[in-house]
Amino acid sequence: MLRIPRTLVTSGLAVIAALMLGLSQAKAERISNPVAEFTGVDKITGRIITFDVYIDETVQFGALQVTPRVCYSRPITEEPKTDSFVEVDEITLDRKIRRIFTGWMFAESPGLNAVEHAVYDVWLKACKQSSDVPPPETN
């Protein structure tokens, strides 16, 4: 059986901890943004529209209601990684609301988790700190 001196084990653990701390500090923190920017297409008319939605606000695009819950990005000095947790509901012909999507959308991979509806497609374009659209009123 090989015996390793306790001081060697302790100093080795200290080196590993220091390396892990250094690696975690080198990783850029994600930025939480108040606005998610989406692109939508109406397949019937061919109309493409870009629209801003504030976090926890619901915006209607055709028969879809889009509600982002968070929108994260990285600093401009880092590789782009922009994602948003989104809920999308459809208003059916009998005026019922049916959830058709809940999950993460990734701006760098719009086809990965875009909402593909029979009439409408919606995907995340960006996360932003501000918008030309006024924020929703809070009561």
Side-chain angles (χ1 to χ4, degrees):
M1 173 185 259
L2 178 64
R3 292 197 170 257
I4 301 172
R6 174 169 270 147
T7 56
L8 186 57
V9 171
T10 305
S11 63
L13 290 175
V15 169
I16 291 171
L19 286 173
M20 290 178 68
L21 181 61
L23 288 175
S24 67
Q25 289 177 345
K27 182 180 169 187
E29 292 299 315
R30 63 184 179 190
I31 300 167
S32 184
N33 298 278
V35 181
E37 181 180 22
F38 294 93
T39 299
V41 62
D42 181 327
K43 297 177 191 176
I44 305 297
T45 65
R47 187 180 102 196
I48 299 172
I49 186 170
T50 299
F51 55 97
D52 292 347
V53 186
Y54 285 86
I55 300 306
D56 293 326
E57 176 190 24
T58 299
V59 168
Q60 189 159 341
F61 172 67
L64 303 182
Q65 294 181 333
V66 180
T67 309
R69 297 299 179 190
V70 295
C71 201
Y72 297 124
S73 60
R74 300 275 180 194
I76 58 170
T77 57
E78 297 291 320
E79 181 181 339
K81 289 184 182 172
T82 306
D83 50 28
S84 180
F85 189 82
V86 183
E87 298 170 347
V88 180
D89 298 320
E90 176 188 31
I91 302 172
T92 63
L93 293 174
D94 55 355
R95 298 185 183 259
K96 293 184 180 171
I97 296 177
R98 179 175 62 113
R99 175 78 31 99
I100 62 169
F101 179 85
T102 300
W104 290 95
M105 290 186 179
F106 306 96
E108 288 75 30
S109 301
L112 185 62
N113 280 351
V115 174
E116 296 178 3
H117 180 265
V119 178
Y120 306 101
D121 287 350
V122 175
W123 61 92
L124 178 67
K125 184 175 178 186
C127 294
K128 306 187 323 186
Q129 285 294 314
S130 64
S131 173
D132 294 336
V133 176
E137 292 182 21
T138 55
N139 294 332

